[in-house]
Amino acid sequence: MHTPDRWLIVKINGNDPHYRVFGSWYGGYLGSDSWRMNSGITKVSEDDDYYHFEGTSGSVYHCHKKAWGISGYGSAVLHAMIEKQKDYQMEIVPQDMDVTTLEY
């Protein structure tokens, strides 16, 4: 189970279009910031405060509804990934998109 400090959804376009969770964590006083992208969303559910994204690898990301966004470190990593892609395109899903209605 993963609960990122900040998160967003990325759409991967290409031969196999799909959506992924990109999560970032703040390192705190003694740690360093980190990021993680899931294997691909297969299912989403929600409660009052969280979206629960299940991935193809079996991982589950619990993402607080008010934590949509990305850290400065995560932004640098994600935008570098987007710039380097040649075989497919990555795009950030807009915040106002209802993630429960996307086809996973």
Side-chain angles (χ1 to χ4, degrees), residues 21-57:
V21 176
F22 184 92
S24 56
W25 288 261
Y26 298 110
Y29 177 66
L30 295 175
S32 58
D33 290 359
S34 61
W35 65 274
R36 195 166 220 188
M37 186 161 20
N38 84 334
S39 54
I41 300 169
T42 59
K43 183 179 176 184
V44 63
S45 59
E46 67 177 312
D47 58 34
D48 289 341
D49 297 320
Y50 287 86
Y51 292 113
H52 310 281
F53 297 99
E54 296 180 30
T56 58
S57 69

Side-chain angles (χ1 to χ4, degrees), residues 10 77-85 88 90-92:
V10 177
V77 169
L78 181 59
H79 285 92
M81 291 171 66
I82 290 170
E83 290 296 317
K84 289 181 183 179
Q85 296 311 315
Y88 55 88
M90 295 172 66
E91 60 184 278
I92 298 169

Side-chain angles (χ1 to χ4, degrees), residues 11-30:
K11 183 176 182 184
I12 310 292
N13 296 302
N15 293 337
D16 178 28
H18 60 281
Y19 296 93
R20 294 182 178 201
V21 176
F22 184 92
S24 56
W25 288 261
Y26 298 110
Y29 177 66
L30 295 175

